[in-house]
Amino acid sequence: MNAIRVAFVTASLSRHGAGVAAAVESLSAAVAARGLDVRVFGSNDPLWEESGPGTWKGAEALVLPSFGPASFGYVPRLVTELRKWNPDIVHTHGLWMHHSRSVLQWARQTAKPVVVSPHGMLAPRALAFSPGKKRLSRWLYQDSALRQARVLHATSAAEAEEIVGFGLKQPIAVIPNGIDPSEDEPAQLSGDADRPRVISIGRVHPIKALDQLVKAWAMIEPDFSGWDLKIVGPSELGYADQLQDLAKSLNLRNVEISGAVFGGQKIDLLRRAELFALPSLTENFALTVAESLSCGTPVISTKGAPWAGLVAHGCGWWIDHGVDAMATTLRSAMSLSADERRAMGARGREWMARDFGWDKIGRQTASVYRWLVEENTDRPECFYKRDQGK
């Protein structure tokens, strides 16, 4: 029997695609390693042309020309190329852009199964951003594309609940994003050049609520003058400038806001941090939390991200939204000894290595595909508990 042929489809495979592109890259490789025939389809953009082909580690990628506004991602050849390659399943990643409409067309033409990963884009707080664009997309194609899916993929039980709350009835496979465990031990800070640091890495976007982190820092900076706060990531909607203005208005001396970092540079920053802080309003997974834990760095996360396990595994704090809650937790975490924080980090590394390896994630995902296309295949255990039957 020929290997199951799976097409991964998303808007962008470059750094412009942020966490979605990173998840597609790693998951496509993990599924291919399970013996499935995988190809990734995405749209071209300047960032891909600059560095994508040389750094891409996922399954074979076909990058197609796009036209019109980048926020729509119109790729006229996508349906044709899907038909030409003739996959058994298409797995769509992300919503609201033209690739969802193309996959809907392909599914109607072929009657083959589609899996959709919303990547947190159905969370109520996420839906509140650019509501006009999303209403138009829903009316034109997105609602139909979601209803066409045979299986929906959530990266956490919290995201599964958001999908249910959106009104979708299909089976939901709950499979987290994976992580490549850091092979290096956490860095040991020493000297004035390596002051203890709290770091937050990711998109610098209003949904990340980084203004709350800056305001919380203002409440504790006088008592922790030897510490720094570093916010790192690509700015969207002019948010980095707003944060700079906020830090200036609060007379903060130890706050740095800088642009995006990638690869080894990002991992090095995580390893050298004493704490990672995530103040986000909503996250479907928050890969940077897993990366931080893998680097041995304890994490403070708001309950906008599905990381209750930080408390259960003794490697961080899972807190309510708000400036006061963040300030109180920062004060507690920064008051611990370095050895206490390192012990928390070691527990986080063990947790990531045990439960979030890509081999396990690839095996679970491949089992969902086989259940969809092979006769007499048992239903995987990863489905959300509300679902019954195939």
Side-chain angles (χ1 to χ4, degrees):
M1 181 178 179
N2 293 332
I4 296 173
R5 183 171 283 196
V6 184
F8 279 41
V9 180
T10 191
S12 175
L13 304 184
S14 74
R15 292 170 180 167
H16 181 71
V20 175
V24 167
E25 180 176 16
S26 296
L27 182 60
S28 66
V31 171
R34 305 305 304 177
L36 280 68
D37 189 1
V38 184
R39 183 174 293 184
V40 182
F41 295 77
S43 62
N44 205 352
D45 62 50
L47 285 176
W48 175 266
E49 293 177 352
E50 177 184 320
S51 60
T55 60
W56 178 258
K57 297 179 181 179
E60 179 184 353
L62 178 62
V63 180
L64 301 169
S66 62
F67 300 90
S71 61
F72 182 56
Y74 175 52
V75 182
R77 283 175 47 197
L78 181 52
V79 177
T80 299
E81 294 297 334
L82 286 173
R83 290 292 301 271
K84 185 185 300 183
W85 194 60
N86 192 30
D88 300 298
I89 296 173
V90 169
H91 189 159
T92 308
H93 294 264
L95 310 177
W96 314 124
M97 297 181 70
H98 180 259
H99 69 286
S100 291
R101 181 177 181 273
S102 295
V103 172
L104 173 63
Q105 289 179 276
W106 173 86
R108 286 173 169 171
Q109 293 170 4
T110 65
K112 291 182 177 180
V114 172
V115 178
V116 174
S117 295
H119 289 280
M121 297 180 189
L122 294 179
R125 290 184 183 271
L127 292 170
F129 282 89
S130 302
K133 172 191 173 181
K134 288 167 183 171
R135 282 195 297 270
L136 180 61
S137 296
R138 291 185 64 179
W139 180 72
L140 288 174
Y141 58 85
Q142 192 63 75
D143 279 1
S144 296
L146 287 166
R147 289 194 299 267
Q148 185 77 27
R150 291 274 297 278
V151 168
L152 297 159
H153 165 225
T155 56
S156 66
E159 188 183 10
E161 291 167 5
E162 292 167 354
I163 291 170
V164 172
F166 191 77
L168 297 170
K169 307 297 185 183
Q170 301 99 311
I172 303 170
V174 181
I175 304 172
N177 284 330
I179 185 71
D180 294 312
S182 174
E183 297 180 357
D184 298 320
E185 290 296 320
Q188 302 295 313
L189 302 182
S190 62
D192 293 339
D194 282 319
R195 289 154 51 93
R197 175 188 296 160
V198 177
I199 195 163
S200 188
I201 297 181
R203 287 192 304 147
V204 182
H205 183 285
I207 204 167
K208 304 297 182 178
L210 291 162
D211 58 310
Q212 295 187 12
L213 177 59
V214 172
K215 291 174 182 176
W217 188 263
M219 297 173 67
I220 65 164
E221 187 181 76
D223 297 326
F224 294 90
S225 58
W227 285 67
D228 295 323
L229 170 63
K230 187 175 180 66
I231 296 171
V232 181
S235 179
E236 299 183 28
L237 306 176
Y239 193 47
D241 291 338
Q242 296 175 39
L243 295 176
Q244 294 278 15
D245 291 343
L246 176 61
K248 184 177 180 180
S249 72
L250 295 171
N251 297 313
L252 297 178
R253 302 171 62 89
N254 300 330
V255 175
E256 179 185 351
I257 301 167
S258 60
V261 295
F262 303 97
Q265 187 179 2
K266 179 177 73 169
I267 296 302
D268 186 62
L269 283 175
L270 293 172
R271 289 179 58 242
R272 299 182 74 81
E274 289 284 330
L275 295 164
F276 181 87
L278 183 77
S280 290
L281 299 176
T282 183
E283 297 277 353
N284 71 301
F285 182 74
L287 181 60
T288 48
V289 169
E291 290 173 330
S292 297
L293 295 173
S294 180
C295 289
T297 301
V299 171
I300 301 170
S301 171
T302 61
K303 292 179 181 177
W307 284 97
L310 290 169
V311 178
H313 293 275
C315 54
W317 298 261
W318 197 51
I319 65 173
D320 293 329
H321 289 289
V323 174
D324 289 342
M326 179 61 74
T328 298
T329 307
L330 284 169
R331 183 178 297 278
S332 297
M334 293 160 67
S335 296
L336 296 174
S337 69
D339 286 343
E340 288 174 310
R341 286 190 295 270
R342 278 194 287 272
M344 295 181 73
R347 291 192 289 270
R349 281 167 60 90
E350 292 170 2
W351 179 28
M352 291 301 100
R354 182 177 64 251
D355 293 344
F356 289 85
W358 275 114
D359 180 68
K360 178 178 181 179
I361 305 306
R363 183 169 62 253
Q364 289 178 313
T365 306
S367 72
V368 173
Y369 299 151
R370 292 192 172 99
W371 177 72
L372 281 170
V373 302
E374 293 180 351
E375 296 292 334
N376 302 316
T377 300
D378 292 338
R379 188 174 188 270
E381 296 181 358
C382 60
F383 280 97
Y384 189 56
K385 62 182 179 181
R386 70 150 195 196
D387 302 318
Q388 301 293 328
K390 186 169 180 177

